[in-house]
Structures are given as C-alpha cells and as structure tokens.
C-alpha cells in the first residue's frame, strides 16, 4: 500500500515539475523567435524571473523522491542514463546562471553568450527529459543485476526521439501561453498567435505519439485490464481542447491552466500505464524494477516510506501554499518597472 | 583511468566547487536579513543600501551555489549507484527531506526577494530575507545529517542485502552530524565576516563611500571575530569526537603511528604513507590531551590498522594543519579589526591587508572538508561500505568525459562570477544595476 502511494506521488512530482518548469523552459526556447529587441528579450527573462528557481526544485524533489522511495530505481536510472543526465545537468546549470548574469554587463557580446546559454539550456532539458521518459515507457535494457546496457545513442531511437519532440512541443505551447499572460502589447499578440499555431501541431503529435505508444510500449496493458482507467485520458484531452477554446476567448490564464492540466494528465496517463514498474526491463519483464513485488522490488523499507509520507503530507501542502502565493503576487504583466534581470 | 578514481575526482571537483559558494550564501544571507531588519526598525536608508549592495554580491554567489548543488544530488545516482542502492533507504530520504522542507523554501523566496522590492512592504521583504536565510541554513542541517551518516552511521540494520532504516531519530540526532554542522556553519560565518570586512576595507583604503563601508566593516569585524573564536573552540570538541568515533582519521590527521599512552605531538613533523619521514621536538602527552583531554589517554596509531584500511595520510595531515593554521590566524586579524574599528582609517596598511584575508576562511573550510572526506577513506560509509564498492557500473571513458566537461564549464562560470563580483564591488553601493 505504501509502495503504491509512493509510486503515485512519484508520478505526481514529475507531473508538477513538467507543468511548472515546462513554461519557463518553453519561453527560453521561444525567446529568439518572439523577441524583436532588447526590451522584449528582458520581458521574457523577467516573465520567468520570480518563478524559475522554485519551479526547478520540483525536479530536485522528483529526483530526491526517486532516491528515497525507490533507491534501486534511482541507482539504475541515473547510472544507466549517465550521459543524457549529465547533458541535462550542464544545460540546467548554464541556463540558471544566464538568468542571473545576463543583465549584469551592458555589452552585446556578453548578452549574446548568455542568450545562447538560455536557449540551449532550455531546449536540451525539454528534449532529453522527453527522450528519457519515452525510453522508460518502452523499457530499458536492464539485466538481472539492475545494470543498464547501451549508451546515449541507444536512447536516440525513433520512439525516444518522438518523446523528445512531444515534450518540446508541450513546453513550447505552455511557454507561449505564459508569455501571453505576462507580456503586453505586440509581444503578447505574437505569443498568443504562436500558441494558436502550435496547438494543431501538438494535437497531431499527441495523437501520433499515442498510436506509436500502443505499438512501441506495454503502457496500455493496465488500461486494457481495467478499461475504466481510460477515463484518465479525458484529463489531457479535455485540457488540450480547453486550451483552444480559452485561447480563442483570450482568457490566457485559463488557457495556461488547461495546458498545465494537459501536461499533468499526459504524465499521469503514462505513470498509471507503467505501474507497478518504475523502470521496465526490455530484456526480461522479471528484471523490471518495480514498486511492488512484481519483478525486482525497488522500494525503500516500510519505515522509510512511512516517515517520508509524513514529511510529504506536512510539507508538500505548505510548499504548494507559498508557491501559489508567489504566483498570485507576481501575476501581473511585466512592465518596465519590473525588470530586474 | 578507471571509473572509481575518475568518479572520486569528479565528486571532489564538484563538491569543492559547490562549497566555494555555499558558505558565503549561509552566512551572508543572515547578515543581509539583519540589515533589512535594521532598516525596518530604524528607518535608516543606510541599512537598505547595505542590504542591496551586499545582496547583489549575494545573488551572483547564490546562483552558482544552487546550480552546482543540483549536480551533486544527481551524482550519487550517476557515479555512485551502488552506494545509492545500498544506503538509499536512509541517505536518499535525508536528501529528499532537505529538498522538501528547506530547498523549496529557499529557492521560491529568493525569487520573491529579487523581484519583491516594489511589490512587498519593507517588513514583508525583510521577512522574506529571513526565510531565505533560515531555509539555506536548514538545508545545511539536512545535508550534514546525511554526511554525518557517512561519517558515523547510526539507526540502520542490514537487511535484504542493504542498510535499512530502523531508528530515524538516531539518524537525525547523530551527535557527529551536529558537531560537523556547528563547525561548518561557524566556518561559513567566518567566510561572510571576512568577506564583508575585506571588501569594506578595500573601499575605505580608497576613501570611497566611507560612511557606508565603515558601518559595514563594523558588522564584518564583529561577525568575523565571534565566528572565528567559536569555530576554533568548537573545533576542539569536534576533534574529541573524531578521536572517539574515527580514531583512524585522527591518527592520519596527526600522522600518528604507534599506539601509546601519553602520546606526544611533534613540532617538526613530515608525514609519509608508511611512517613519519621526520619527527623532532616532541611535546610530551600533547596529542593525548588534544584528542581526549587526558595526558594519559591511549591514542591509537596507524601501525595497528591494516594498510588497506588507512586513509591517505599525507593529504589528511597537511589539510588538517592548513585548517588549524588558518583557524589560528583568523581570530587575530578579526580581533585587531574589531579593536580598531572606530579609527581604522589610521591603519592604511591594515586596510590594504584585509582584502587578502578574504580567501583565508574559504581555504580553511576546503581544507576542513578534505580532512573530513579524505580522512574517512577507504570507507564511503565509515566501517560499513568501501568507496571502491560504491561506484556505478559505468566506463571510465564516460566519467573522464564528464569530468573534463565539469572542470571546463565550472571554471568558465567561476571566472564569470568572479568577474561580475569584482565589478559589483568596484562600482560600490548606489550603482544603477
């Protein structure tokens, strides 16, 4: 029971991370295409300003919870995906620094360097997270000793890359919607029309990815056993539809919320499909790392899981509370007065 | 080269680089929160300008600390996966608690601190400063409890082929962890104190912004004095605990080879990996006194430890001496600065010296961590798991590549940060951005 709760919490943490950091990664990728001058560039940086650091901690938490609740899975996943994860880290490092350093020196060369870091540092995490998760969905070449075979190039298979494209598009749309909230005037119009143009592309890619998933993975097995679970699909599909509706009505907050719900729904759909495996083995299902006793049990002792659950029940609501307050406090569009970065 | 040595180098490089920025974050955040509180209480503009000037330096430093910290959490999985699988039940939960209870708070409110000057009242903004400072120091508590488990594992039982938690409070209340926390946090306040002191002195030597930097210098001198005295005193008790719990580490710190009572300390000593190359001028019983507060105490020597279980003696010995040496100089400098704080302008040579003292506590802390971590070898978890059994099943080539990338990337970022901090210092308070 504790294992199942933690499996779901594990999925929820990743989902919240994607829904929050997704928009600032998306804006980072959009910046070179949307900003026409230095002021607009700074608006985009400052639209992420008060939030990006707090958002990124959801990734640290998701990593930390994998470590704490499923140490065997953490060990196998992080060592197995070694090169991909290191690239992700380097990207996040240069990206984080670019926020703080860019505006400190008034020279075009200096700014161009950090702008480049911001774009690469936003694109690579989106792509790599998609590639990594798609590979997890279809199973990793894990042997009976929880050692993964193959390297970065093996991850770049067609299904893995499809996952990467899906994540990039999810985050691009999410970022365009956030910028529609936080920018004013011409930049807002460009962001909104970009979102409108991204929408059909994303909708098509989601459909293709779902069909591809049917053939490339075993994610649908749980759904076919319990068809009632297919109701979960209503969440991402509903989110996707409502983005279009609210975007047309120029209700940008609602559209962004729908996009967040869609991202969370997509993640939960996959996580429920994975259960009880955290890392399915493509070599032999019995070598999969799981939350329960099917395959190799990767979870922590009941005592650790219980203590962690207590910590999560106390602190996660507090975190959600103050992060919500931060979003509310900085909900207004960015003006010239607000430029700190 | 093999994955184990490269992984150790990589972890050492990543931690030591991370630990250039963290101590200043811990100490300076508290000073800034204090300045903002002084502003709220007195309404004096000077304190607000102080919080903003030191805050700018804080932010440059903070971001480098944060981004390099992310690497560390992931490295346990990428490079030390067998360690993660073996002790993750305990160690992983401590990292997860740190993220949930402390790091979230710090990272969320640092954004509010930067962007909230116009959106929040001065009182609310000062509260945010305290939240950032408190959360950062709370992070240090959890991280050092996690490290304390590696130094003095408690509260576990070996079951299912790994260490499983059986007493959470024993892990959290690990006395070794709390000694280490006290020692590290006091070291961090030395860093902050000497940082403020040195930069203030640099400006005062140039007679620029004298009112501002005289006030800052007094704060820096006070913090540096109190912290550097406390870190030395507390360091003695920490040493007593190392002697009791990790006698082999203590023997390596002193390059002490023969187990004996009334163990002397040599004023002239050159250590080697198999015995002292030179030992002269013994002070009888001094080592027994320092280690156990008892001249008759028996101090275990390295000859009683199989060679395979000894830490690298030469590195541990010299790092310990560097730390103690710096710990002796720091209070003297801070004391002089404190005594002369009201007419420090009369001592231009001292004002010119103080910026050069900024690196001292940094070096002391790095040396201290070398003692703590190298001195624990060959164990990754003291007495429980060997470092050589902890490494991931990955190729040396992969690690070599990322090690090189980390060194290049971190050097570039460090240089950029240093350049920006230097610029901000030169511009002084009241610079537009």
């Amino acid at each position: 029971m504790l294992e199942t709760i933690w499996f779901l919490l594990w999925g929820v943490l990743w989902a919240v991370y994607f829904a929050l950091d997704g928009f600032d990664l998306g804006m980072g990728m959009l910046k070179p295409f949307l900003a026409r001058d230095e002021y607009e560039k700074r608006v985009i940086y400052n639209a992420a300003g008060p939030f990006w650091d707090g958002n990124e901690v959801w990734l640290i938490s998701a990593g930390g919870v994998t470590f704490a609740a499923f140490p065997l899975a953490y060990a196998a996943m992080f060592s197995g995906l070694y090169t991909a994860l290191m690239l992700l880290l380097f990207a996040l490092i240069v990206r984080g620094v670019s926020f703080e350093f860019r505006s400190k020196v008034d020279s075009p060369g200096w700014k161009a360097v950090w702008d480049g870091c911001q774009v690469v540092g936003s694109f690579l995490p989106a792509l790599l997270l998609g590639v990594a998760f798609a590979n997890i969905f279809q199973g990793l070449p894990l042997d009976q000793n929880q050692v993964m075979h193959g390297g970065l190039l093996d991850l770049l298979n067609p299904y893995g890359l499809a996952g990467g494209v899906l994540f990039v598009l999810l985050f691009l749309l999410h970022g365009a919607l956030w910028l529609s909230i936080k920018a004013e005037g011409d930049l807002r119009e460009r962001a909104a029309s970009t979102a409108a143009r991204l929408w059909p592309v994303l909708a098509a890619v989601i459909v293709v990815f779902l069909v591809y998933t049917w053939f490339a993975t075993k994610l649908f097995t749980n759904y076919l056993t319990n068809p009632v679970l297919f109701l979960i699909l209503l969440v991402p599909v509903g989110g996707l539809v409502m983005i279009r509706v609210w975007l047309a009505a120029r209700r940008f907050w609602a559209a962004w919320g729908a996009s967040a719900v869609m991202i969370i729904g997509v993640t939960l759909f996959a996580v429920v499909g994975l259960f009880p495996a955290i890392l399915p083995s493509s070599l032999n299902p019995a070598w999969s790392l799981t939350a329960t006793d099917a395959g190799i049990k990767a979870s922590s002792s009941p005592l650790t899981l219980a203590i962690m659950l207590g910590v999560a029940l106390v602190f996660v609501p507090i975190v959600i509370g103050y992060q919500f307050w931060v979003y509310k406090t900085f909900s207004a569009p960015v003006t010239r007065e607000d430029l700190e970065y | 080269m093999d994955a184990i040595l490269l992984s150790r180098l990589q972890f050492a490089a990543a931690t030591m680089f991370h630990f250039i920025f963290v101590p200043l974050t811990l100490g300076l955040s508290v000073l800034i929160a204090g300045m903002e509180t002084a502003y709220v209480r007195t309404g004096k503009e000077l304190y607000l300008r102080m919080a903003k000037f030191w805050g700018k330096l804080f932010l440059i430093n903070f971001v480098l600390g944060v981004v390099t910290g992310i690497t560390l959490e992931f490295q346990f999985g990428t490079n030390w996966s067998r360690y993660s699988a073996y002790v993750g039940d305990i160690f992983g939960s401590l990292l997860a608690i740190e993220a949930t209870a402390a790091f979230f708070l710090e990272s969320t409110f640092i954004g509010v601190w930067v962007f909230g000057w116009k959106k929040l009242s001065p009182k609310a903004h000062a509260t945010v400063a305290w939240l950032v400072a408190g959360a950062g120091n709370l992070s240090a508590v959890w991280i050092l409890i996690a490290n304390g488990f590696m130094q003095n594992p408690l509260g576990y039982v070996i079951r299912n082929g790994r260490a499983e938690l059986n007493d959470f409070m024993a892990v959290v209340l690990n006395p070794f962890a709390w000694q280490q926390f006290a020692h590290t946090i006091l070291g961090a306040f030395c860093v902050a104190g000497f940082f403020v002191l040195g930069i203030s002195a640099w400006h005062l030597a140039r007679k620029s912004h004298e009112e501002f930097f005289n006030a800052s210098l007094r704060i820096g001198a006070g913090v540096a004095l109190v912290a550097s005295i406390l870190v030395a005193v507390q360091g003695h008790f920490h040493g007593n605990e190392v002697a009791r719990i990790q006698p082999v580490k203590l023997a390596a710190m002193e390059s002490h080879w023969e187990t004996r009572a009334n163990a002397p300390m040599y004023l002239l000593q050159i250590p080697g990996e198999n015995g002292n190359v030179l030992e002269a001028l013994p002070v009888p019983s001094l080592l027994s006194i320092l280690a156990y507060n008892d001249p008759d105490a028996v101090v275990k020597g390295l000859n009683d430890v199989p060679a395979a279980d000894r830490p690298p003696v030469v590195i541990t010995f010299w790092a310990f001496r560097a730390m103690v040496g710096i710990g002796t100089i720091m209070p003297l400098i801070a004391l002089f600065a404190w005594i002369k704080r009201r007419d420090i302008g009369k001592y231009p040579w001292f004002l010119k010296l103080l910026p050069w003292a900024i690196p001292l506590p940094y070096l002391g802390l790095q040396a201290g961590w070398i003692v703590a971590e190298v001195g624990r070898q060959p164990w990754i978890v003291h007495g429980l798991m060997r470092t050589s059994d902890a490494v991931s099943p990955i190729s040396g080539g992969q690690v070599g590549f990322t090690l090189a990338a980390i060194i290049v990337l971190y050097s570039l970022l460090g240089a950029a940060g240093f350049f920006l901090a230097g610029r901000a210092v030169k511009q002084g308070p009241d610079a537009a951005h």
Side-chain angles (χ1 to χ4, degrees), chain A residues 239-300:
Chain A
L240 184 65
V241 172
M242 291 320 287
I243 294 173
R244 192 74 198 88
V245 172
W246 279 322
L247 190 56
R250 296 181 63 81
R251 294 181 55 192
F252 298 126
W253 269 106
W256 177 79
S259 171
V261 166
M262 172 184 66
I263 291 172
I264 290 171
V266 167
T267 314
L268 290 185
F269 173 75
V271 167
V272 169
L274 272 176
F275 184 83
I278 296 175
L279 295 183
S281 170
S282 58
L283 304 179
N284 180 344
W287 299 338
S288 298
L289 286 166
T290 68
T292 60
D293 284 320
I296 299 168
K297 189 174 174 181
S299 37
S300 277

Side-chain angles (χ1 to χ4, degrees), chain A residues 64 74 82 300-301 304 322 337, chain B residues 73 89 105 108 118 402 433:
Chain A
Y74 173 82
Y82 187 86
S300 277
S301 66
T304 296
Y322 60 64
E337 315 275 275
Chain B
E73 186 202 18
D89 197 58
L105 194 62
T108 306
K118 288 164 205 137
T402 53
H433 219 294

Side-chain angles (χ1 to χ4, degrees), chain A residues 31-47 98-116 118 179 183 187 190 334-336 338-341, chain B residues 433:
Chain A
K31 186 176 56 64
F33 305 104
L34 286 184
R36 294 241 167 99
D37 55 28
E38 168 66 10
Y39 173 68
E40 291 189 351
K41 276 185 196 166
R42 288 188 73 187
V43 168
I44 296 180
Y45 276 99
N46 285 275
S98 72
F99 277 110
E100 191 55 45
F101 282 10
R102 181 186 183 274
S103 66
K104 292 273 189 294
V105 180
D106 216 1
S107 119
W110 174 269
K111 290 187 169 162
V113 168
W114 297 113
D115 283 344
Q118 173 81 196
L179 197 56
L187 182 58
R190 258 176 275 140
V334 177
T335 64
R336 279 189 193 274
D338 300 322
L339 298 181
E340 294 286 345
Y341 286 150
Chain B
H433 219 294

Side-chain angles (χ1 to χ4, degrees), chain A residues 12 55 83 96 172 240 259 277 287:
Chain A
V12 168
N55 292 345
T83 310
L172 280 173
L240 184 65
S259 171
W287 299 338

Side-chain angles (χ1 to χ4, degrees), chain B residues 341-373:
Chain B
R341 67 191 183 281
R342 293 193 194 285
D343 50 0
I344 197 133
K346 289 186 194 157
Y347 304 90
W349 61 271
F350 188 61
L351 288 177
K352 282 182 192 136
L353 176 87
L354 278 175
W356 296 100
I358 295 176
L360 281 180
Y362 281 101
L363 294 172
L365 271 169
Q366 296 281 352
W369 275 107
I370 291 173
V371 175
E373 301 295 284

Side-chain angles (χ1 to χ4, degrees), chain B residues 179 231-244 290-291 293:
Chain B
Q179 286 273 4
V231 79
V233 173
Q234 189 271 338
H236 172 72
F237 297 110
H238 186 27
N240 291 160
E241 190 153 51
V242 171
R244 206 172 62 244
L290 286 177
N293 299 318

Side-chain angles (χ1 to χ4, degrees), chain A residues 141-158:
Chain A
L142 281 170
D143 67 19
Q144 63 271 48
N145 300 316
Q146 302 117 49
V147 174
M148 206 183 110
H149 298 271
L152 181 65
L153 294 178
D154 300 288
L155 298 177
L156 300 178
N157 53 66

